[in-house]
Amino acid sequence: MSRTPAMSAAARRFDEPASPGLARRLRTAAPSLRIAVAGSAAWGLAMGASAIASLMLDQWETADRIRTVALLFFLGGALAFPFAWTLAGLLTRRRRPETAFAACFVALAAMTVGLTALLYALQYRSYYAEWHAPAFTLTWAFQFVFTGLVAAYQFAVLGVRMYFPLGFIALIAAALWFAGRSR
């Protein structure tokens, strides 16, 4: 079957990326592998340490639960770092250091809180799944949605405060580091 010019143009459209400029911008905004791994480890450790410090100040006495919460905060921070770095890089291409600081501050804070809340909601959901209706029924769908909403609310009320004061200090330091690198 021979290709007509219209078929060639349509085939070319599906073979090429949607926007070559966007793909290039994503590659330049994304952290290098070394920065992604080191930054994820450092940011995760900072968030885990922040949770541990907060729980120790609140005088939690169960070491198992402290480890579980610290691991949750570590994973949320470690997963958030490369996404936040990329988002901040996309927002601050060729802009002033103040803009880079603000973009990294907001992106890192939002991604860290959002991904940690998502991990918390998944853990919360797995705990309550035992008492939920069979999967993919209408009742299950309502239970799934409202369990997730309750978990997000509970994390917003009880979990976000664990980022203070150490997590906030680490956030400022990370945003300053990003702004210094973006010059």
Side-chain angles (χ1 to χ4, degrees), residues 13-131:
R13 272 187 264 136
F14 289 113
D15 293 341
E16 296 173 359
S19 171
L22 178 61
R24 188 178 69 249
R25 286 183 64 199
L26 274 173
R27 275 193 308 276
T28 58
S32 67
L33 182 61
R34 191 183 96 224
I35 290 176
V37 170
S40 290
W43 188 246
L45 286 172
M47 296 303 99
S50 179
I52 289 172
S54 178
L55 294 174
M56 295 302 237
L57 287 173
D58 286 344
Q59 298 178 346
W60 272 34
E61 295 178 12
T62 54
D64 287 340
R65 292 201 178 156
I66 290 174
R67 278 193 293 271
T68 302
V69 172
L71 179 64
L72 179 78
F73 275 70
F74 168 80
L75 290 173
L79 290 173
F81 183 83
F83 293 111
W85 182 285
T86 303
L87 179 60
L90 285 172
L91 294 173
T92 62
R93 200 176 95 186
R94 296 186 197 119
R95 298 229 170 84
R96 297 171 48 166
E98 297 87 5
T99 306
F101 175 85
C104 183
F105 189 92
V106 171
L108 199 52
M111 287 287 182
T112 301
V113 170
L115 285 174
T116 306
L118 177 65
L119 292 174
Y120 178 77
L122 290 173
Q123 190 278 331
Y124 196 91
R125 165 73 178 105
S126 71
Y127 176 79
Y128 284 104
E130 181 179 342
W131 298 286

Side-chain angles (χ1 to χ4, degrees), residues 116-169:
T116 306
L118 177 65
L119 292 174
Y120 178 77
L122 290 173
Q123 190 278 331
Y124 196 91
R125 165 73 178 105
S126 71
Y127 176 79
Y128 284 104
E130 181 179 342
W131 298 286
H132 283 191
F136 306 111
T137 62
L138 183 61
T139 304
W140 174 86
F142 278 109
Q143 291 169 335
F144 183 83
V145 169
F146 285 103
T147 301
L149 290 173
V150 167
Y153 171 76
Q154 190 174 24
F155 184 81
V157 171
L158 300 173
V160 171
R161 66 190 170 114
M162 289 188 209
Y163 290 113
F164 295 98
L166 293 180
F168 190 71
I169 294 167

